[in-house]
Amino acid sequence: MRIRIIDTHCDALLKLWERPERNYLTDVDIDANVERLKAGNVHVQLYAIFVEPFIKQDQKFQVVMEQIEIFYEKVLKSSSSIRHIKEWSDLFSLKEDEIGAILTLEGVDAIGDDLTKLSILYQLGVLSVGLTWNQANLCADGVGEPRGAGLSTLGKELVCLNNANKVLTDVSHLSINGFWDVMDLAKYPVASHSNARYICDHPRNLYDEQIQALVHKQGYIGLVFCPEFVTSNEHATIKDLLLHVDHMCSLGAENYIGFGSDFDGISNKVIELEHSGVYGNLIEELIKHYSASQVQKFVRGNFEQLITRIV
């Protein structure tokens, strides 16, 4: 049985923006290049637009547009097998040999207080929006902001715009107060790349109450492969990652979890899970512990079920 995977977070666009000469088809410096996506049976990849914090505010939206151009010119044109998923309904018409490519936005710093810019990004195909990275912006505080505030009035308006446009609101990186504000407002909340704080006590991970809230809202949690979010041990293994699967299932999240690797956004790697091409190692370990139907849910079915509720 060929198991095809949906991965809800990678930072390949950032790497291509940093070094435009890179070849997205084959460059081994890119964890989620086309060859590796094919080798790992990744059927849908979500591509984050991420602007580094050191970029000056008046230049940030330009960087966003540059990364979108890279998505259109380098990612979509890299191979005839790459197909742009510009509307959620497109997800269900993908051919077996195609790889669906979805744009997401990781932090809204670049739009400042101009929601017209957000509307432009919707039109260009952004289907998931995270309010922050680790710092604060005009919409919300991130997990790295000591103030720990929730959503501003602008941030709440942004979530409502996401709802109206059937766009996911991503809580990964949000402060705890920001998370609960999103839970109050969002129709389609997700944590695209976060793990369980009970298993690994890192600020980027979710407390049990947060996991249960996402379950209650019929959202989605993509477990992330960043070793620091997987275990406090020196080296992270696939078995360590499965402890997060086990724990979330114990909280009722069996139908709401998947994987958001964070490939190309992490320098350290889980052993035997270093890039998209070796996703099979994760599948092999999952099959040892879960039924075939459960594995299918984890690697794609739960995300598809979320999108079914939207379309």
Side-chain angles (χ1 to χ4, degrees):
M1 178 178 61
R2 186 185 182 204
I3 297 178
R4 298 180 295 167
I5 296 159
I6 295 176
D7 184 324
T8 55
H9 190 87
C10 84
D11 283 295
L13 296 181
L14 177 63
K15 278 192 176 176
L16 290 167
W17 177 79
E18 290 172 336
R19 289 182 53 187
E21 74 276 9
R22 283 174 164 150
N23 182 338
Y24 182 59
L25 185 65
T26 59
D27 195 313
V28 295
D29 289 331
I30 300 177
D31 301 330
N33 68 32
V34 177
E35 284 196 345
R36 285 171 167 170
L37 293 177
K38 290 181 177 179
N41 287 330
V42 177
H43 193 46
V44 178
Q45 179 66 63
L46 278 67
Y47 293 83
I49 303 161
F50 175 66
V51 181
E52 294 279 14
F54 62 79
I55 302 294
K56 293 181 179 179
Q57 183 61 41
D58 62 356
Q59 298 172 357
K60 287 185 175 183
F61 194 71
Q62 176 62 29
V63 173
V64 167
M65 298 306 290
E66 288 171 2
Q67 290 191 24
I68 291 176
E69 182 180 22
I70 286 168
F71 177 78
Y72 275 86
E73 295 299 319
K74 288 186 173 288
V75 173
L76 297 181
K77 293 183 179 180
S78 63
S79 168
S80 60
S81 62
I82 303 290
R83 179 180 165 194
H84 188 190
I85 303 298
K86 198 168 183 179
E87 298 180 356
W88 288 123
S89 57
D90 296 337
L91 186 70
F92 301 105
S93 60
L94 269 180
K95 297 177 182 176
E96 188 164 339
D97 61 347
E98 290 181 322
I99 298 171
I102 298 174
L103 270 178
T104 75
L105 181 64
E106 187 174 18
V108 297
D109 306 46
I111 71 168
D113 62 355
D114 187 354
L115 293 178
T116 299
K117 290 179 178 177
L118 183 66
S119 296
I120 292 169
L121 299 183
Y122 291 155
Q123 293 172 48
L124 291 170
V126 169
L127 292 178
S128 178
V129 174
L131 280 83
T132 65
W133 192 57
N134 293 332
Q135 284 77 40
N137 58 32
L138 295 180
C139 287
D141 282 4
V143 295
E145 172 56 54
R147 176 179 57 181
L151 270 57
S152 65
T153 300
L154 179 67
K156 292 176 181 179
E157 188 176 351
L158 187 149
V159 173
C160 292
L161 279 175
N162 282 349
N163 292 342
N165 287 275
K166 298 184 177 181
V167 169
L168 307 179
T169 298
D170 190 351
V171 300
S172 289
H173 289 287
L174 258 181
S175 68
I176 292 174
N177 284 324
F179 173 92
W180 291 113
D181 284 346
V182 168
M183 288 300 104
D184 287 340
L185 292 170
K187 289 184 179 179
Y188 317 114
V190 301
S192 65
H193 56 307
S194 295
N195 289 342
R197 197 153 181 174
Y198 180 85
I199 300 297
C200 181
D201 188 14
H202 190 284
R204 273 278 287 102
N205 288 340
L206 300 168
Y207 286 111
D208 287 0
E209 295 80 7
Q210 293 175 295
I211 294 166
Q212 290 169 323
L214 281 161
V215 169
H216 179 72
K217 294 279 287 192
Q218 295 185 298
Y220 172 88
I221 304 165
L223 277 70
V224 61
F225 303 167
C226 178
E228 290 80 4
F229 306 163
V230 174
T231 181
S232 57
N233 298 328
E234 184 177 356
H235 301 292
T237 67
I238 294 174
K239 288 183 179 180
D240 291 324
L241 181 62
L242 261 59
L243 293 176
H244 293 267
V245 176
D246 291 343
H247 184 69
M248 290 195 185
C249 286
S250 76
L251 296 172
E254 179 180 323
N255 296 321
Y256 304 98
I257 58 173
F259 297 100
S261 65
D262 207 6
F263 283 139
D264 294 304
I266 51 178
S267 52
N268 298 324
K269 307 291 175 63
V270 173
I271 296 169
E272 296 187 331
L273 201 51
E274 295 85 5
H275 55 74
S276 298
V278 294
Y279 244 118
N281 293 333
L282 173 59
I283 302 302
E284 287 179 12
E285 198 63 34
L286 284 168
I287 289 172
K288 293 177 185 177
H289 297 86
Y290 295 95
S291 68
S293 62
Q294 287 175 310
V295 174
Q296 285 283 6
K297 285 194 293 186
F298 299 156
V299 301
R300 66 177 299 114
N302 289 340
F303 186 79
E304 288 179 328
Q305 187 59 39
L306 168 67
I307 304 310
T308 299
R309 291 194 289 271
I310 297 175
V311 299

